[in-house]
Every structure is written in structure tokens, then in C-alpha cells.
Amino acid sequence: MTKQAANDNCRVQLFSRSSSRQNPGVSAWTCYGCNDKAEKITSGWIDHSTNIRSELEGLVSTLKTYPNGTCITYHSSSDHIVKGLNKHMHTWSKNGWITSRNNEVANVDLWRKLACEHKRLRIKTVWVHHKAIDKILPVLKEELSLTFQAANDTA
């Protein structure tokens, strides 16, 4: 079975959202993972971050909680993250984490960690509009709101 064929039958569905009122600023993230046996919600915040960095941080933190070889379909509303995972990460890695414009990849520390998780797990990444995620999983939006509130209360 090819890696692509295995990904088509992924059991874990993972969704993420992030939010910053100021970009950069206090930024919160939340991830929701589920399969036919269990659900898992992870969340956190970063005192001074961008929305993209926050979502990458949340994704890395959440992926680390899954055992080796887990097949995951990751749903993200971030076009940047989806394209990074599906198209650019392999090339960036091969080119020493330098972009086609000869600049260092933004958030390279997190992309390197994602590359390690990508090797350890079987991940298929798909883009979905954030409003669709909110409609399918209102709990994700609620958790993000609570996490963001907690971050602001401590700031």
C-alpha cells in the first residue's frame, strides 16, 4: 500500500483554529482531534506571536501527542500552512530551509519540528474555510474563545 493510499483511510481527523486580536500580539490556538473511539482538545496561547505562528505551535504540540505511525487528516483554514505542508516543506528542507526568494523560511523552528512529525506520522492536509470548521465544530470556536480570554486575563 502506498503512503497516499494509506492516508485516504485516516482514522484521526484533526482540526485547528488560531486567533490574535493584534498581529503580532497575544495569540491563542486550539486543536480538536477525533477518531471512532475518542475526542481530544488541546489549546494554548503565546504572549507575543502571529496568528500563523500560533497555529503552527498548536499543530506541533498536538501532533506530539499521537503515537508513531498514526494516520491523521489535518483540516486547516490557513492556506499558508496547507501549502507549506503539502507543497513547500519538502523543498524547503532539501534547500536548507531557504525559500525560492533566497530568504530563510519564516517560523523555521516550527517548520523543522513539523517536518519531524510529518516523518513520524502519516499526515494528509486539506484546506477548509474557517466558517465551515466553526459550523461543524462549534466546540472548537468556543474553546478558542475561552483560551484567548484566559491568555488576555494573564497578560
Side-chain angles (χ1 to χ4, degrees), residues 97-131:
W97 300 98
I98 301 297
T99 68
S100 60
R101 294 185 178 152
N102 211 27
N103 297 319
E104 184 178 67
V105 172
N107 301 307
V108 68
D109 58 324
L110 295 173
W111 283 108
R112 286 178 187 211
K113 290 177 183 178
L114 276 173
C116 291
E117 293 303 312
H118 207 270
K119 289 177 186 172
R120 192 179 69 76
L121 304 165
R122 297 180 312 181
I123 304 170
K124 177 182 179 182
T125 306
V126 295
W127 182 86
V128 62
H129 196 282
H130 71 90
K131 289 183 181 180

Side-chain angles (χ1 to χ4, degrees), residues 80-110:
H80 177 73
I81 292 173
V82 171
K83 284 182 180 176
L85 288 167
N86 286 341
K87 293 174 67 176
H88 304 304
M89 189 169 60
H90 177 73
T91 304
W92 290 337
S93 175
K94 199 168 67 174
N95 293 338
W97 300 98
I98 301 297
T99 68
S100 60
R101 294 185 178 152
N102 211 27
N103 297 319
E104 184 178 67
V105 172
N107 301 307
V108 68
D109 58 324
L110 295 173

Side-chain angles (χ1 to χ4, degrees), residues 1-154:
M1 178 185 299
T2 66
K3 186 174 180 181
Q4 182 59 43
N7 277 340
D8 292 341
N9 296 313
C10 289
R11 297 280 185 219
V12 174
Q13 302 296 312
L14 182 62
F15 299 83
S16 69
R17 289 284 315 244
S18 62
S19 177
S20 325
R21 294 235 167 88
Q22 293 179 331
N23 206 9
V26 174
S27 187
W29 58 267
T30 187
C31 292
Y32 172 87
C34 64
N35 61 21
D36 54 353
K37 296 178 184 174
E39 297 178 326
K40 178 189 322 192
I41 295 178
T42 55
S43 58
W45 70 83
I46 304 169
D47 288 333
H48 188 75
S49 181
T50 64
N51 208 31
I52 293 291
R53 184 166 179 84
S54 179
E55 188 162 340
L56 289 169
E57 183 72 44
L59 180 58
V60 168
S61 297
T62 301
L63 290 175
K64 286 181 177 183
T65 68
Y66 288 98
N68 290 346
T70 301
C71 187
I72 298 170
T73 301
Y74 172 56
H75 306 264
S76 175
S77 60
S78 168
D79 193 48
H80 177 73
I81 292 173
V82 171
K83 284 182 180 176
L85 288 167
N86 286 341
K87 293 174 67 176
H88 304 304
M89 189 169 60
H90 177 73
T91 304
W92 290 337
S93 175
K94 199 168 67 174
N95 293 338
W97 300 98
I98 301 297
T99 68
S100 60
R101 294 185 178 152
N102 211 27
N103 297 319
E104 184 178 67
V105 172
N107 301 307
V108 68
D109 58 324
L110 295 173
W111 283 108
R112 286 178 187 211
K113 290 177 183 178
L114 276 173
C116 291
E117 293 303 312
H118 207 270
K119 289 177 186 172
R120 192 179 69 76
L121 304 165
R122 297 180 312 181
I123 304 170
K124 177 182 179 182
T125 306
V126 295
W127 182 86
V128 62
H129 196 282
H130 71 90
K131 289 183 181 180
I133 293 175
D134 292 345
K135 186 175 182 179
I136 296 167
L137 291 168
V139 66
L140 193 62
K141 186 176 180 180
E142 292 166 17
E143 180 67 24
L144 181 62
S145 180
L146 290 171
T147 303
F148 198 79
Q149 182 61 48
N152 283 320
D153 289 348
T154 62

